[in-house]
Amino acid sequence: APSRGAPSESAMPGLLLLLPLLLAAGPPRSAAVEPISMCITIGAASVLTGYLSYPRFYCGFVECCPREQDRPNATALRLNLDAKLFGQHLAKEVILKALTGFLDNPNPKKPLALSLHGWAGTGKNFASQIIAENLHEAGLKSKFVHLFLSTLHFPHDHEVKLYKDQLQKWIRGNVTACAKSVFIFDEMDKLHPGLIDAIKPFLDYYEQIDGVSYRRAIFIFLSNAGGDLITKVALDFWRSGRAREEIRLKDLEPVLSIGVFNNKNSGLWHSSLIDRNLIDYFIPFLPLEYRHVKMCVRVELKSRGYEVDEEIVTQVADEMTYFPKEERIYSDKGCKTVSTKLDFYL
């Protein structure tokens, strides 16, 4: 809390107006200084000094790394997940518990590492965006949130050694600048095998590496790998007459971690991150059903400023393709093409 007499943040813009006026005024023109003028000058200087000495006053104008005592709003995180993530009771539960537990821990032993798995369009990117926005106000635009796309940042097989060196330097430099940096690796299933092991030292149980602590950083991996395993479990539940909400993490996490470890196209094939148990949570994103697609359409309509028209909602949902072929339960693209298909009806 600000100390007594400290200037309020809302008054900070006044400093920027006051400072040039004081500098432009220059020294008094006469040798004799009137007492009132002197009082005004001293008072203004005192205010200026107070502003400049105010802790982190510059954070009102530029983005600052969160302090140790800064904590995200867990209620806001839950509301965002509920509003934007459909059909993912497991993902919402695990993300909320993992994040709040990690951030409330005064002395974590290692960085937080989350691996999000599921078919395209099931909400993995949405989830990572929500996490980023909850940790840093600017979200994915924050200079403390770093997004890597495998096909864009690591496109060539023969440059893997160079990518490893660059990746280590990038992480080291950014965590040095902000201990609470967030690193998101998208398209893990397109990443060259072995490349991700370059970050293994930063995820391990080290207090410091070359004078830098990585224990407050967060690493998030997004992958389509394991989507078939997740769908099989979900389908088994459906065929046995059990609700998808009955699926628990224990039903999927062991199968998922082993499956991804043995999948040459997962980006984590025989990875030391799994072998050394450095990934804290494997988070499954279930395939989306017809009712979830309709939820996506409604949200998209509202985001564009339209009232929800249930006829349009049904038409867009009906245009999606579903699998298995006989039962037609799950959307094969999740909600990924909802926005494009909606254009046709507006």
Side-chain angles (χ1 to χ4, degrees):
S3 59
R4 184 178 299 176
S8 66
E9 292 184 12
S10 61
M12 287 180 188
L15 168 62
L16 300 183
L17 296 174
L18 177 62
L19 182 56
L21 293 175
L22 290 173
L23 296 175
R29 295 185 179 180
S30 62
V33 180
E34 295 180 10
I36 294 178
S37 299
M38 177 61 79
C39 289
I40 292 174
T41 303
I42 293 174
S46 298
V47 171
L48 179 59
T49 303
Y51 273 120
L52 294 175
S53 62
Y54 185 69
R56 293 167 62 91
F57 96 96
Y58 50 87
C59 296
F61 309 101
V62 297
E63 184 185 15
C64 292
C65 180
R67 296 168 295 180
E68 183 63 30
Q69 65 267 34
D70 292 338
R71 293 285 184 274
N73 187 327
T75 302
L77 174 60
R78 180 187 293 278
L79 290 174
N80 275 332
L81 289 171
D82 286 340
K84 298 178 182 177
L85 209 55
F86 304 123
Q88 305 300 350
H89 68 285
L90 278 179
K92 289 193 282 191
E93 177 186 348
V94 178
I95 288 171
L96 188 63
K97 289 183 177 178
L99 267 185
T100 53
F102 176 74
L103 296 169
D104 288 340
N105 186 348
N107 186 31
K109 302 303 180 187
K110 65 180 290 297
L112 179 64
L114 307 175
S115 193
L116 281 51
H117 297 266
W119 292 130
T122 52
K124 301 184 301 295
N125 288 94
F126 260 136
S128 63
Q129 180 181 328
I130 292 168
I131 293 171
E133 290 171 351
N134 195 253
L135 297 170
H136 299 279
E137 190 174 346
L140 294 178
K141 295 180 181 179
S142 168
K143 61 183 178 182
F144 305 122
V145 176
H146 313 281
L147 174 63
F148 298 95
L149 301 174
S150 297
T151 52
L152 176 64
H153 296 104
F154 316 111
H156 306 297
D157 286 332
H158 62 280
E159 298 284 12
V160 170
K161 187 179 184 303
L162 173 63
Y163 296 151
K164 286 184 175 182
D165 292 340
Q166 291 177 336
L167 191 53
Q168 288 185 340
K169 289 177 182 177
W170 182 258
I171 291 174
R172 186 181 302 115
N174 283 288
V175 174
T176 300
C178 179
K180 294 187 176 183
S181 291
V182 178
F183 301 93
I184 303 171
F185 293 83
D186 197 2
E187 303 177 332
M188 281 291 294
D189 46 302
K190 297 179 177 67
L191 194 67
H192 306 296
L195 175 56
I196 202 63
D197 283 348
I199 72 171
K200 181 258 175 190
F202 307 127
L203 292 181
D204 218 326
Y205 292 81
Y206 298 121
E207 188 170 346
Q208 288 188 346
I209 301 176
D210 294 332
V212 180
S213 174
Y214 296 86
R215 293 182 170 186
R216 282 294 180 192
I218 294 177
F219 294 80
I220 303 172
F221 309 107
L222 313 180
S223 177
N224 291 344
D228 54 339
L229 301 173
I230 296 168
T231 297
K232 183 181 182 305
V233 171
L235 200 52
D236 287 344
F237 267 71
W238 184 86
R239 284 174 174 161
S240 63
R242 301 172 66 186
R244 67 191 278 134
E245 288 75 21
E246 293 181 46
I247 302 174
R248 309 316 307 164
L249 190 61
K250 66 181 181 180
D251 298 317
L252 281 166
E253 194 173 35
V255 177
L256 197 53
S257 61
I258 294 171
V260 170
F261 183 77
N262 292 320
N263 184 344
K264 288 187 177 181
N265 298 316
S266 70
L268 291 167
W269 179 64
H270 288 187
S271 171
S272 61
L273 301 190
I274 298 178
D275 197 35
R276 292 290 303 275
N277 297 311
L278 298 180
I279 294 180
D280 300 294
Y281 296 94
F282 288 88
I283 304 177
F285 280 68
L286 303 174
L288 299 184
E289 299 174 8
Y290 180 80
R291 59 191 169 111
H292 302 126
V293 173
K294 294 181 81 171
M295 292 178 184
C296 293
V297 179
R298 292 187 189 104
V299 168
E300 183 66 22
L301 279 169
K302 290 178 183 177
S303 71
R304 299 191 189 190
Y306 292 96
E307 289 187 8
V308 174
D309 184 328
E310 288 300 329
E311 184 178 344
I312 291 178
V313 170
T314 300
Q315 287 174 324
V316 173
D318 285 347
E319 273 203 31
M320 307 292 281
T321 52
Y322 298 85
F323 71 97
K325 189 175 181 180
E326 298 78 22
E327 294 97 333
R328 297 184 75 250
I329 308 166
Y330 306 119
S331 168
D332 63 357
K333 294 185 178 69
C335 285
K336 201 173 188 70
T337 58
V338 160
S339 179
T340 306
K341 290 187 180 298
L342 184 58
D343 292 338
F344 180 79
Y345 296 97
L346 296 179

